[in-house]
Structures are given as structure tokens and as C-alpha cells.
Amino acid sequence: MNENKHAAGYLARGLGTKKWFVIILALALLHVLPWTIPSHIIHMMIMIFIFTIMGQGWNVLGGYVGQFSFGHALFFGIGAYTSTLLFLHLGLSPWFGIIIACMASIAVGLFVGLLSFRYGLSGPFFALIMLAFAEIFHITFITWKAVGGSLGLLIQSSGNAPLLMQFTDKIPFYYISLWFMAAALYVVWRFEKSRTGLYFMAVREDKDAAEALGINTFKSQMIAMAISAGMTAIGGTIYAQYLLYIDPDITFGAINSVEIMIRPIIGGPGTVLGPLLGSVVLTPLSEFTREVFQAYSGVYLMIYGIVLVAVIMFLPEGIIGFANRMFEKFRTR
Amino acid sequence: MNIYYILQSLIDGLLIGGVYSLVAIGLTLIFGVMRIVNFAHGALMMLGMYTTYWAFNLLHIDPYLSILICVPVLFIIGAAFQKFLITPILDAPEHNQLLLTLGVSLFLENLAVFLWSPNYRVTRTSYEFAYLYIGDLSISLQRVLAFLTAMVVTGIVYFLLSKTDLGKAIRAASEEPRGALLMGINVRRIYWITFGIGAACAGVAGSATAPFFPVYPTVGGIFVITAFMVVVLGGMGSVLGAFAGGLIIGLADAVGGMIFPGAMKSIISFILFILILLFKPTGLFGSKN
């Protein structure tokens, strides 16, 4: 990881003054793009953006603080269910729902964090605790009839209602998810250079040494957990509004935890652009194979398995780490 | 609820607990020696179940005899897994190994979906409905056989670890890999042998349960979560702990099933799991941190 950080700094310096120009150009292009591509590609872009938001959420905890969660579907589900239930029962607009969903998710995240980090759980133990919490919610929502049970919840369509985050067209969702994604990337980018961000990485590299230097490791982990839970929940709310339907399996299901974590891991954990890159690679892959092998819905997961094994074995720093190394080699030559 | 019902549940719980023990022993062995939490363990058990299913349906081999096929097959798969995938990344951070086993598990489970469809399959033996009667209690013969199989294999593994040279080498590699290496033990070889044994345990557990449990690609998930619980309860890396833990969880399951209906029961197991992880991460029998 150390080398990776060094290389990332190298890349940033390499971009230098052109950095802002590149970012603005990319954003401008992304704003024009939906008017030039067919509807199913827009759908794919929306999926890329939404999963980048959630992947970035996972990345804050997994990539920066080094606590690998195997149960981020927990926050995804809380985000989706909170805003949906508030809308269905109280008529509250998902624009407010998303804030409350965020806070609910943070509350649950802090509870899980309080339990785990106080006892110094890490590595596989923490991964399993997260998995267990996600499964508890999964089973509870399947059996709890008042929140839809296993049938899930259908959000009545109100036509084109921007105030209720409902649209008859895909393009508004494209922009909403793009802006939220840009915000998530910006937050983590700023955060990476902040004092707390540096604390995070110190905790990841060596928890005891960080503690010895006076860093409150428990507090760092709790802050990371809060950001992570909130960010993932935002993705959940947007996802629910986009599909207008949620059930326990597509939200709290274990496979969703994999969907969320695999993107930053493949893109490059502990980097700002890692979740985006992973999402750009994997989302089309899964959408494409799902279309081609409709009868065998598991094929894309098989490919995930192969990609995950290959990346862990050959590119342990993800695609970004690999690209940076190549970049460095090129520069020093 | 009468006394017979309670006794009946407890006996059933104890019998299935034996199978939990067997799954958990494989898991704990792999953890104890290589410090790897094997997420693919459930997938390996699933492969064992399918091996038995196909041996029975295509070759008409009795499920309990097919263990003799299952053990070498799973040993080879497990050993290859360790040798070609895990050994190259032994020095990587521990979460990489965790993710690797997750990747393998995703691959195997969905390969099974691809090859054999997600449908439930049932192995129908001639003694499917055979019961042993003790007073008013009736005990399924298949479950008794599964329990006995689990006990025998546990005994063999324990004997292997405590009495043979290979067992000594495995324990040495687990306690002090560098020291073992200096004493001329080929630690990497020990690693793949250990993983093979662990996988074979999962395979035997699959064979033993296939006659009375539906076979489908994600079936391992049910057992492996329980097995994780058993392993943590028994102390990560402790074979006897896993054995006792399996029986305890089996009984706890039975009690939970009597008090809480249906899905609530599994919630109780998860809460129990979290509590064990929080308050006794070294387990009931574990001493090392």
C-alpha cells in the first residue's frame, strides 16, 4: 500500500496544473453524453454512477482505514428502505428521505462500529460481524410484513415529479447520480489530504504505531464508519427511486455486499478514483453477461469470481496501482 | 410441548451438530495452520454434496460409500487451491487471502449454477425413511449415519494430527512456520496438504448430509455460517474446540427451533454469533490470541 500511495502522489504531480482542466473537461463531456447515447447505455451509466457512490462508501472504510466489510448491503438496504417507507407512509419527498436515510444508516453504522472497534475487532472478524448484521436485517425484512416482507415495496409512480425524485425519463436520473457521484469523489479527494484522512491511512498501515503517535484510532475508525455508512445509504435511496421497487434480496442480499466491495477492490482500494474505475470495468461486464446468458443468471458472478482472484493475485493494488506503476516506469526511463 | 418432543429435538440437534463439527474442523484446521479464513469452505462442501449426488444417480453408489470418492476429489481440489492460488500470495496482507477465497467461492457456486442449474436436487436412498426407535423416540437412520461418519472422520483427523509424523509437522508449521522450516519441514507442502485435508472434511460433511438435505449451488452458505460460528466458539484453530462447538451449536439450534419459529431462529443464531465474536473472540477453548 505504501508504494501505491507514493505512486499516486507521483501521478498527481504528473498531472500538475492540467488537473483542473482535465476534471472540468471530463465533467462537461459527461453532461453532454446522455443526449448522444441510446437508452440502455444511459441505464448502464446510471448503474456505474450509483455503484461508484456505494463503492466509494465502502472504500472510505475498507480502502482508507483498512477495515474490510463483507456486509455493506446493510447500508444500501437501510438507505433504500428508509426513504421508501417515509415516502409511502408519510408522503415525505425522497429529497428529504435521502437525508434521513443517511442519518439512519450512520446511526446503525456507528452502533456496529461501537461494538466492533471498541473490542478491537479487525480483519476477518470485522468482515464477519458486518456480514452477520446485514443478514439479520435481511431476514428481519423478509419476515416483517409491515415493511413489505419478502414481496418488497412498490413505489407508486407519480409521473414526472421532480420534487418526489421521480421522472418518466432516464436522463434526470443520469444527472442526479452523476452529481452525487461527483460529490462523493470530491469529498474523498479533499478528505485524502486532510489531517483526518492522513490519520485514517496511518491507522490502516499500522494501528499500534498510529496509537503510539497519539492518534485516536477508535475515533478515526468511527468517523470512517459514519462517512462510509452515509455515503452507501445515499446510493441506496437513489437506486430505490430509480427502480421504484425494492425487496429484501435486491437490497440486503449478501450478493449486494459483494457488488459494492468488488468495485473499489478491483479499481484500487484506498484511491479516490478506484471505485469509479472498478465500476466502469465491472458494470458493463455484468450487464452484458446478464443479457447474453439470461438463462444462466449466475454467469456474471462466475466472472466476478475469476476477476477477483486474478486481481488479488496479479494486481493487488487494483487497476490504479498497476497504472501508476506503469506510469512511474515510463517516467523514470 | 411434551418431554418427548423436547428430547426428540435435542437428539436431532446433536446429530446435525456432528455435521457442523465436521465442517468446522476443516475450517479451523485451515485457519489454525495458515491463518486463512476460508470463505470457500461452503462451496467445497457443496462440491462434496454434488459428487455424492452424481455418484448415486449415475453410478448408483451408496451416498455413504461415495465418501471414498469424495475424499480424494476434494483433497485434490483443496490442495490445488492452496498450491496454485493461495501460496503465491502468502505474504500479502491477510484480507487479500480472505478476498481470494471469496472469489473462489463465487466462482465455484456459480459454476455449479451454470453446470447443474440452481434447482434443488434430492438423493433418494432405499433407507430414506428408515428410523431407529427408542421408546417413543424415532431417530432417522440417515442422520445417525451422518453423525457416525462425522465422528469417525473427526477421530481420524485427531489421530492424524496428534499421533503421526505428518500431524507433528502440521502442528509445527502452525505454531512456528520459520522454526519448522529450519527443522527441515517443507512448510509450503504442509500447507497444501492441510488445505487438502480441510477440504476433504468439508467434502465428507457434504456426502454425509446429501441423503437428507437438498443439494443446490448455494447450500454451503447455510452450513458455513454455522461453521464460522462453531469455529469462533470453539476457538479459532482448535480441533477439539470445533468438535465440541459443533455439538453445542447443534443443541442450541434445536433449542432455538423450539422457542422461535421459522426465520426468527436464524436471527437468533446470527445474534449469538455477534455476541460470541464480541465477547469471546478467542472462543471457549482457545487460549492464544
Side-chain angles (χ1 to χ4, degrees):
Chain A
M1 284 282 188
N2 260 329
E3 272 173 32
N4 193 14
K5 284 275 79 77
H6 178 70
Y10 215 59
L11 185 63
R13 268 203 304 282
L15 286 172
T17 49
K18 281 179 253 163
K19 194 165 54 189
W20 278 105
F21 177 71
V22 172
I23 290 170
I24 289 167
L25 187 71
L27 269 177
L29 278 177
L30 281 173
H31 274 78
V32 180
L33 191 68
W35 306 98
T36 62
I37 52 179
S39 169
H40 70 276
I41 306 279
I42 296 185
H43 167 77
M44 197 143 85
M45 297 296 286
I46 295 172
M47 284 296 143
I48 290 177
F49 296 155
I50 292 178
F51 275 100
T52 304
I53 299 169
M54 294 191 283
Q56 194 64 278
W58 185 91
N59 192 29
V60 171
L61 190 62
Y64 285 99
V65 192
Q67 291 283 8
F68 277 56
S69 153
F70 275 25
H72 251 52
L74 172 66
F75 304 129
F76 176 85
I78 291 172
Y81 268 97
T82 308
S83 67
T84 305
L85 287 171
L86 284 173
F87 175 66
L88 291 180
H89 291 293
L90 303 173
L92 189 72
S93 161
W95 289 110
F96 293 106
I98 203 168
I99 299 166
I100 297 172
C102 216
M103 293 193 304
S105 184
I106 290 173
V108 172
L110 288 178
F111 174 70
V112 179
L114 186 70
L115 286 179
S116 332
F117 302 141
R118 268 183 82 96
Y119 291 93
L121 289 188
S122 63
F125 294 103
F126 177 72
L128 286 172
I129 280 246
M130 285 298 300
L131 184 78
F133 268 102
E135 272 310 298
I136 287 174
F137 272 72
H138 187 192
I139 299 166
T140 307
F141 275 75
I142 286 176
T143 43
W144 193 4
K145 291 282 180 295
V147 295
S150 58
L151 290 176
L153 295 167
L154 196 67
I155 304 172
Q156 285 289 322
S157 171
S158 323
N160 218 11
L163 288 177
L164 295 177
M165 211 199 276
Q166 287 191 19
F167 305 93
T168 45
D169 197 52
K170 285 200 172 91
I171 291 184
F173 271 110
Y174 176 95
Y175 286 119
I176 290 173
S177 46
L178 171 64
W179 294 331
F180 271 106
M181 180 195 76
L185 291 178
Y186 181 75
V187 165
V188 174
W189 182 54
R190 296 295 302 192
F191 199 76
E192 194 180 52
K193 296 184 171 53
S194 73
R195 180 175 282 264
T196 322
L198 294 174
Y199 284 175
F200 280 14
M201 288 178 255
V203 173
R204 175 189 68 199
E205 294 305 331
D206 191 334
K207 189 158 165 274
D208 294 335
E211 190 90 52
L213 287 171
I215 295 173
N216 187 337
T217 55
F218 174 67
K219 199 174 139 199
S220 294
Q221 287 172 328
M222 289 296 270
I223 294 172
M225 180 61 120
I227 299 173
S228 182
M231 215 177 257
T232 311
I234 289 174
T237 299
I238 300 175
Y239 189 83
Q241 286 305 119
Y242 178 54
L243 287 189
L244 292 178
Y245 168 76
I246 49 172
D247 71 27
D249 287 344
I250 62 169
T251 53
F252 290 112
I255 212 64
N256 251 331
S257 298
V258 173
E259 289 271 11
I260 295 171
M261 70 193 275
I262 194 173
R263 285 171 168 79
I265 288 167
I266 283 172
T271 61
V272 179
L273 291 178
L276 175 62
L277 242 146
S279 204
V280 166
V281 172
L282 282 186
T283 310
L285 192 78
S286 76
E287 298 278 331
F288 177 72
T289 46
R290 253 184 277 202
E291 242 166 66
V292 174
F293 301 95
Q294 271 166 354
Y296 303 100
S297 55
V299 171
Y300 81 100
L301 291 170
M302 219 163 97
I303 298 173
Y304 274 18
I306 297 172
V307 172
L308 188 56
V309 169
V311 165
I312 294 296
M313 293 197 67
F314 304 112
L315 313 171
E317 293 156 358
I319 301 171
I320 292 214
F322 175 73
N324 277 331
R325 238 179 328 175
M326 290 296 115
F327 187 72
E328 199 166 8
K329 210 180 263 175
F330 179 72
R331 273 184 64 111
T332 47
R333 200 163 56 183
Chain B
M1 197 188 293
N2 60 32
I3 185 80
Y4 287 111
Y5 175 71
I6 296 174
L7 266 178
Q8 180 83 53
S9 300
L10 289 181
I11 289 174
D12 283 347
L14 193 69
L15 293 182
I16 198 72
V19 177
Y20 292 158
S21 292
L22 188 51
V23 184
I25 282 170
L27 205 56
T28 212
L29 195 62
I30 292 169
F31 180 82
V33 177
M34 273 96 57
R35 304 278 130 187
I36 288 169
V37 175
N38 182 19
F39 257 76
H41 211 65
L44 293 172
M45 180 178 173
M46 176 271 295
L47 288 183
M49 287 176 99
Y50 271 105
T51 308
T52 297
Y53 175 84
W54 289 118
F56 180 75
N57 277 284
L58 299 178
L59 309 171
H60 307 290
I61 297 172
D62 185 86
Y64 292 96
L65 261 178
S66 72
I67 289 174
L68 297 176
I69 306 174
C70 213
V71 166
V73 168
L74 266 293
F75 181 88
I76 291 168
I77 294 175
F81 180 15
Q82 169 71 29
K83 194 166 177 154
F84 298 113
L85 297 179
I86 298 180
T87 302
I89 61 154
L90 267 183
D91 301 326
E94 69 173 345
H95 54 70
N96 279 16
Q97 286 129 27
L98 198 65
L99 293 171
L100 188 86
T101 62
L102 177 73
V104 169
S105 145
L106 270 178
F107 174 74
L108 289 178
E109 280 181 0
N110 293 290
L111 183 71
V113 173
F114 185 69
L115 293 177
W116 306 309
S117 86
N119 298 338
Y120 283 37
R121 292 163 191 272
V122 186
T123 316
R124 298 219 170 280
T125 55
S126 54
Y127 45 93
E128 189 179 11
F129 299 110
Y131 284 89
L132 305 174
Y133 295 97
I134 305 172
D136 282 355
L137 301 172
S138 56
I139 305 161
S140 157
L141 176 66
Q142 292 181 329
R143 284 174 189 256
V144 173
L145 285 176
F147 182 77
L148 290 178
T149 310
M151 292 306 102
V152 169
V153 175
T154 305
I156 293 174
V157 171
Y158 191 70
F159 173 80
L160 192 79
L161 283 180
S162 53
K163 298 280 187 275
T164 63
D165 283 351
L166 176 67
K168 259 185 208 162
I170 290 176
R171 281 182 293 142
S174 133
E175 272 167 32
E176 193 55 64
R178 268 165 214 277
L181 199 60
L182 287 174
M183 300 315 288
I185 295 171
N186 185 343
V187 173
R188 296 201 161 183
R189 185 164 149 265
I190 292 297
Y191 281 176
W192 64 253
I193 291 174
T194 308
F195 209 108
I197 295 172
C201 286
V204 173
S207 292
T209 39
F212 60 89
F213 215 85
V215 181
Y216 53 97
T218 51
V219 61
I222 299 173
F223 286 91
V224 85
I225 290 283
T226 314
F228 276 129
M229 211 146 76
V230 171
V231 166
V232 174
L233 181 71
M236 302 281 267
S238 153
V239 170
L240 279 185
F243 175 67
L247 300 183
I248 292 172
I249 294 287
L251 286 174
D253 245 19
V255 175
M258 281 188 275
I259 304 170
F260 304 102
M264 271 303 279
K265 194 189 95 181
S266 34
I267 294 186
I268 302 297
S269 324
F270 279 115
I271 291 174
L272 197 68
F273 181 43
I274 290 170
L275 291 177
I276 295 168
L277 274 177
L278 287 176
F279 297 107
K280 203 81 183 74
T282 49
L284 296 177
F285 305 90
S287 49
K288 277 185 291 183
N289 194 356

